[in-house]
Amino acid sequence: MGHTIAAVTDPATSPLLAVGSAAIDAAPTPVKEFAVQTFGSADKPVLLAGMAVVLVLITAGLGLLAYWRRWIAVVGLVALAAIAGAAALTRTPDPIAVVPALVTGVIAVAGLLWVRAGVLGSAGTQSGTATGTATGTVPGPGADVTGARETPAAERHASPARESPLDGPRVRSGQFVPTRRGVLIGGPAALAVAGAAGGTLLGRRRDDGAIGRDRALPDPSDPAPLLPEDVQLELPGITPFRTPSPDFYRVDIALSTPRIDVDTWSLPIGGLVDEPITLRYEDILDMALVERWITLTCVSNPVGGPYVSTGRWLGVPLVDLFEQVGVRPEADQIFTESADGLTMSIPLDAATDGRDAMLVVGLNGEQLPVERGFPARLIVPGLFGFVSAAKWITRMDLSTYDRDIAYWTERDWATDAPVLTQSRIDVPGPLQRVPAGTVTMAGIAWAQHRGIRSVEVRIDDGDWQQAELAADGGADLWRQWRFDWTSTGSGRHDVQVRATDGRGEAQPQERTAPFPDGARGWHSIAFVVE
Ligand SMILES: Nc1nc2c(c(=O)[nH]1)N[C@H]1C(S)=C(S)[C@@H](COP(=O)(O)O)O[C@H]1N2
Ligand SMILES: [Mo]
């Protein structure tokens, strides 16, 4: 019920989603890392399913307690609703946020009392519905405990039940009285209907709830440089150089994707500046826009992992905005707030050293997709996404690291987070069987803003050998590589890869976990020659 109501008012305040989001915020970093590494992009469905199971168990427990002491169950339900309401307030600090929890609580308490009355029978009004000792039908679960106390024994025997308590619902003196069978079937059915309705509504709002997705993007005044044609190797199975928008990796803490109305959205830029400004969406579209190919990576990407993609981003250079507001010399970080409650912080030095740091409105020639931060987000080449790529941005302050602390910094992740050099084997796949003869290996390597100088491959315990590199698209982009090997006998072989960045630094062998500043180590897979 709460999910359905929230779909109409504000999805983030759905009891399930709000409590889930609060749990994500509160979860200690090791638990979060475990979830990301174990469940990958399914971490949120797993969390929600787990919560649903726990909730069903708790409410079932309260239902059983209600046979014994009605007030305990009522207090339990009120407590659940209060938790949901409080969690919703942490998402949307507006009294309206508690509405889904409040309505759900009221319906839950009323429903509980109603069902309880029906199942136990309340003295005098439903004499025929209770335990039916005379006909030997099945007594209700509470019959021994409360039924005997509440239903005068004489009356029970005086009017023997003609119907089994498992019969359908009956109407007694104009009152609809639920039966156990009705509750057993109707309860889950109502749950399924409400869940499906809420899910559908939420899903629909996720797709088209944002307003202003029909605006035409202007042409960039500084278009993306034409990429050399052979940045893309013609090899089956290799990661495409240009990631199609739907295939772009996605990582965020948002259980419900913020859907923003660009007509009411604005972006204040303030803090340690001479002249704060507030930008509307149209203001940004009116500025001189640049377009750049940039590869984005997540710090949570494990060695060989999938959280890296490349897009063509359209936006305003941050330095142009900073020129307008006049940044004071004491500022050392760009501190952002987003519609999902996340705060992030970019080292000011990195954003102003000449690289293409920008406030983005377009991806691959279209408005930013909703799940990519519509209407606007940041991109800073060379920094991991969790510090640099704030989606659904709602505020940008020039600040200092002493003054404001970002969400992930509070959770012990690195403050300064340059991308680490990584390389990945896409072909052959793990344990793939390949015919004897020439075996082609291929993949990608990245070290944004430093570039990739070379990639080396080692088969089994042999020597490192230079892989062939595809054309270089620029230092902010990943680079494809391939290596042809003539197989030496059938059976299992291991292949390892390591890249050297544009500064001549090779990837270290020693593996580290993604926490707190990114995974290190060589990717390695095994394949089988037939
Ligand atoms: N508002 C907001 N912005 C966010 C995040 C988030 O959870 N909320 N996740 C960040 C992380 S960890 C990464 S890696 C990138 C991923 O961007 P993408 O989902 O568009 O690939 O967005 C960043 N921006
Ligand atoms: Mo990330």
Side-chain angles (χ1 to χ4, degrees):
M1 296 307 283
H3 216 54
T4 310
I5 296 163
V8 180
T9 57
D10 175 0
T13 62
S14 144
L16 204 58
L17 297 186
V19 173
S21 298
I24 292 177
D25 287 352
T29 296
V31 173
K32 252 189 283 220
E33 263 309 277
F34 167 80
V36 171
Q37 301 305 331
T38 314
F39 306 118
S41 297
D43 55 346
K44 291 183 194 84
V46 167
L47 171 71
L48 292 178
M51 285 176 53
V53 169
V54 170
L55 201 58
V56 165
L57 292 177
I58 292 177
T59 48
L62 289 176
L64 291 174
L65 279 174
Y67 283 117
W68 174 55
R69 288 283 189 275
R70 178 164 55 181
W71 65 269
I72 294 185
V74 171
V75 167
L77 288 177
V78 169
L80 284 179
I83 291 170
L89 278 174
T90 67
R91 303 298 111 194
T92 308
D94 183 314
I96 200 106
V98 304
V99 168
L102 192 72
V103 176
T104 309
V106 169
I107 292 173
V109 170
L112 172 85
L113 297 178
W114 178 65
V115 166
R116 183 181 182 277
V119 175
L120 292 183
S122 48
T125 55
Q126 299 139 32
S127 46
T129 64
T131 50
T133 42
T135 49
T137 48
V138 190
D144 306 335
V145 191
T146 9
R149 207 188 301 136
E150 291 197 354
T151 310
E155 199 175 351
R156 275 193 305 175
H157 291 289
S159 35
R162 272 164 294 120
E163 307 150 288
S164 151
L166 291 176
D167 283 346
R170 284 139 296 180
V171 177
R172 287 255 184 291
S173 46
Q175 246 185 319
F176 178 78
V177 180
T179 60
R180 292 176 68 220
R181 179 203 271 164
V183 170
L184 284 175
I185 298 172
L191 195 68
V193 168
T200 312
L201 279 170
L202 276 184
R204 187 162 331 126
R205 291 207 54 169
R206 182 168 301 148
D207 294 340
D208 59 15
I211 294 176
R213 301 208 33 79
D214 49 357
R215 310 291 154 91
L217 290 179
D219 288 333
S221 50
D222 182 356
L226 207 62
L227 292 174
E229 202 181 303
D230 37 4
V231 291
Q232 171 74 55
L233 297 174
E234 292 313 322
L235 274 177
I238 196 169
T239 303
F241 188 87
R242 304 164 178 86
T243 312
S245 302
D247 299 344
F248 211 97
Y249 85 89
R250 175 180 180 183
V251 175
D252 54 58
I253 61 156
L255 275 182
S256 73
T257 308
R259 300 154 337 284
I260 291 174
D261 173 353
V262 291
D263 294 324
T264 55
W265 176 85
S266 64
L267 176 63
I269 304 176
L272 297 169
V273 299
D274 297 330
E275 223 169 303
I277 55 172
T278 296
L279 297 176
R280 310 283 311 264
Y281 192 59
E282 314 294 342
D283 298 333
I284 301 175
L285 299 192
D286 282 343
M287 293 178 172
L289 301 181
V290 306
E291 193 166 46
R292 295 288 182 265
W293 289 101
I294 296 167
T295 299
L296 183 64
T297 323
C298 181
V299 68
S300 294
N301 193 48
V303 170
Y307 303 142
V308 55
S309 301
T310 294
R312 182 161 47 91
W313 308 92
L314 176 77
V316 187
L318 291 185
V319 285
D320 290 1
L321 299 173
F322 296 160
E323 208 165 284
Q324 269 193 50
V325 294
V327 177
R328 302 233 184 100
E330 24 339 342
D332 62 11
Q333 73 165 337
I334 306 164
F335 192 78
T336 61
E337 284 173 21
S338 291
D340 57 348
L342 205 69
T343 55
M344 294 167 78
S345 103
I346 301 168
L348 182 60
D349 284 348
T352 53
D353 68 357
R355 71 183 81 191
D356 291 312
M358 52 202 216
L359 173 65
V360 167
V361 288
L363 173 62
N364 296 337
E366 288 172 348
Q367 283 180 300
L368 269 184
V370 171
E371 72 277 9
R372 310 252 151 246
F374 175 81
R377 75 177 304 174
L378 298 181
I379 292 283
V380 182
L383 302 183
F384 279 124
F386 78 108
V387 295
S388 65
K391 308 195 267 192
W392 313 291
I393 188 170
T394 53
R395 169 164 209 101
M396 178 153 53
D397 275 334
L398 279 299
S399 177
T400 64
Y401 281 101
D402 290 340
R403 193 157 123 167
D404 290 306
I405 299 177
Y407 181 96
W408 291 115
T409 308
E410 264 170 13
R411 287 158 180 77
D412 299 327
W413 287 82
T415 308
D416 247 1
V419 168
L420 301 177
T421 306
Q422 285 257 16
S423 51
R424 187 174 82 193
I425 303 159
D426 293 338
V427 188
L431 293 177
Q432 192 180 318
R433 307 183 74 86
V434 296
T438 303
V439 179
T440 298
M441 296 156 203
I444 47 172
W446 62 93
Q448 289 96 301
H449 212 58
R450 300 187 300 277
I452 292 295
R453 178 176 295 177
S454 66
V455 172
E456 293 162 288
V457 172
R458 178 161 74 171
I459 315 285
D460 300 324
D461 285 323
D463 293 331
W464 285 102
Q465 304 181 64
Q466 292 291 336
E468 186 189 321
L469 290 180
D472 191 2
D476 295 339
L477 285 160
W478 58 14
R479 201 160 174 189
Q480 296 186 340
W481 59 267
R482 76 176 283 168
F483 183 73
D484 289 323
W485 177 67
T486 310
S487 66
T488 54
S490 58
R492 182 192 146 137
H493 294 280
D494 293 296
V495 53
Q496 280 180 309
V497 65
R498 73 173 182 202
T500 299
D501 72 10
R503 296 178 184 161
E505 239 179 89
Q507 268 179 266
Q509 172 172 20
E510 202 187 326
R511 289 221 178 188
T512 62
F515 178 79
D517 63 349
R520 292 171 186 78
W522 301 334
H523 188 211
S524 162
I525 61 141
F527 62 95
V528 180
V529 173
E530 285 174 334

